[in-house]
């Protein structure tokens, strides 16, 4: 019998030491510290809250941008001037024939020129390929057909399927400097805004009417109406003053005489 002096280890004991399986707890994740768990939860909540706040600010910015367009100084001045003209006979007789035109993102003005639904406007108001929607002051809406266009004059003739519509009479008489005129349109996201001005001096080489009326985005396609209640031109733009002089912005309109010369259907339609 061999004496066990501690230097030798039983073979079975060696194998047990070398191949003993680890305890089950070694395969389990260490339980997360409650403080770390709370910090992680607060971090996620902060991220979600921040994203929500940023989205809210984006929406608010868009809303404020629209309201700014509606209530900026120019808009307020236009509305005040229009309200002062609310009792004017020519304005009252003409407003029902002035329409809002939408073509994709484009928004402008047009006016009915016949009881059966022919409408004049600017070509650039309806030059997108999508459908053209026409909204009348009485709340009726129509999809319009493009009848003809003249890109050089920037005018377009539309047609809606209406009956007994209020309309404006066209005039080819030449306007004189200082003649009183009215413009009715849909500027700066507003509708049925009227203002009063005068004809200005002509410039050689330009087949346009220069008018003192304030003109803004949305006025494109508005009628220029004389004191007889007849349309003498179609608004299409305004000048931009340069920094090197003190000139003011001037409204520009296509004279009806030029439009009659280029769009043959008008003579028959306006009879």
């Amino acid at each position: 019998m061999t004496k066990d002096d501690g230097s030798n280890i039983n073979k079975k004991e060696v194998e047990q030491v070398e191949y003993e399986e680890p305890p089950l707890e070694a395969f389990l994740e260490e339980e997360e510290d409650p403080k770390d768990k709370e910090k992680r939860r607060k971090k996620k909540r902060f991220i979600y809250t921040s994203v929500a706040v940023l989205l809210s600010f984006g929406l608010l910015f868009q809303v404020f941008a629209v309201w700014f367009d509606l209530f900026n100084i120019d808009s307020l001045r236009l509305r005040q001037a229009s309200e002062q003209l609310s009792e004017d006979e020519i304005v009252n007789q003409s407003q029902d024939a002035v329409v809002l035109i939408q073509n994709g993102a484009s928004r402008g003005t047009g006016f009915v020129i016949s009881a059966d639904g022919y409408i004049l406007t600017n070509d650039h108001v309806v030059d997108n390929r999508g459908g053209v929607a026409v909204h009348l002051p009485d709340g009726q809406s129509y999809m319009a057909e493009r009848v003809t266009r003249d890109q050089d004059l920037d005018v377009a003739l539309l047609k809606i399927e209406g009956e007994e519509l209020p309309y404006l009479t066209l005039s080819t008489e030449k306007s004189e400097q200082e003649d009183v005129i009215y413009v009715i349109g849909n500027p700066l996201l507003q509708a049925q805004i009227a203002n009063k001005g005068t004809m200005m001096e002509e410039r050689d080489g330009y087949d346009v009417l220069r008018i003192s009326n304030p003109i803004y985005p949305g006025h494109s396609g508005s009628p220029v109406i004389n004191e007889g209640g007849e349309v003498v031109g179609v608004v299409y733009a305004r000048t931009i003053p340069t920094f090197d002089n003190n000139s003011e912005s001037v409204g520009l309109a296509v004279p009806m005489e030029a439009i009659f010369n280029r769009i043959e259907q008008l003579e028959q339609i306006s009879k």
Side-chain angles (χ1 to χ4, degrees), residues 3-186:
K3 184 179 179 181
D4 186 0
D5 58 0
S7 59
N8 295 321
I9 302 175
N10 186 283
K11 183 178 180 180
K12 291 183 179 180
E13 292 178 349
V14 171
E15 290 178 353
Q16 183 179 1
V17 171
E18 290 180 352
Y19 298 102
E20 184 178 8
E21 293 183 358
L24 179 61
E25 290 77 5
F27 293 98
L28 300 177
E29 292 184 1
E30 184 178 353
E31 185 176 355
E32 186 177 9
D33 189 299
K35 292 183 179 180
D36 293 337
K37 186 176 182 180
E38 179 64 17
K39 288 181 180 179
R40 188 159 56 85
R41 188 179 67 81
K42 287 183 177 180
K43 184 177 180 180
K44 286 184 177 179
R45 186 170 61 184
F46 173 77
I47 293 173
Y48 294 149
T49 302
S50 299
V51 172
V53 169
L54 288 173
L55 290 174
S56 298
F57 272 118
L59 292 173
L60 285 173
F61 178 80
Q62 292 180 347
V63 172
F64 283 130
V66 172
W67 280 95
F68 179 78
D69 278 340
L70 284 172
F71 294 105
N72 63 25
I73 294 176
D74 289 336
S75 293
L76 290 174
R77 286 176 178 171
L78 284 171
R79 181 160 293 281
Q80 290 173 355
S82 185
E83 289 174 353
Q84 292 174 1
L85 292 171
S86 61
E87 300 301 323
D88 190 288
E89 183 178 358
I90 293 176
V91 172
N92 285 330
Q93 291 176 348
S94 304
Q95 279 183 317
D96 287 345
V98 178
V99 301
L100 170 66
I101 295 179
Q102 290 182 301
N103 178 211
S106 179
R107 182 181 187 276
T109 304
F111 55 97
V112 183
I113 61 173
S114 69
D116 59 347
Y118 281 97
I119 294 170
L120 271 180
T121 186
N122 284 147
D123 179 62
H124 76 260
V125 171
V126 296
D127 63 356
N128 292 326
R129 293 185 178 181
V132 178
V134 174
H135 306 284
L136 274 61
D138 63 4
Q140 296 186 77
S141 295
Y142 299 86
M143 294 306 295
E145 172 193 357
R146 297 174 179 85
V147 177
T148 189
R149 57 189 294 200
D150 191 303
Q151 292 177 291
D152 294 334
L153 285 183
D154 194 10
V155 292
L157 180 65
L158 310 178
K159 178 68 168 66
I160 59 175
E161 295 303 321
E163 295 180 358
E164 298 183 359
L165 300 176
Y167 64 93
L168 296 177
T169 303
L170 307 181
S171 173
T172 58
E173 292 185 8
K174 189 176 180 62
S175 299
E176 302 293 339
Q177 186 176 342
E178 301 301 329
D179 281 355
V180 174
I181 51 172
Y182 301 83
V183 168
I184 303 173
N186 307 302

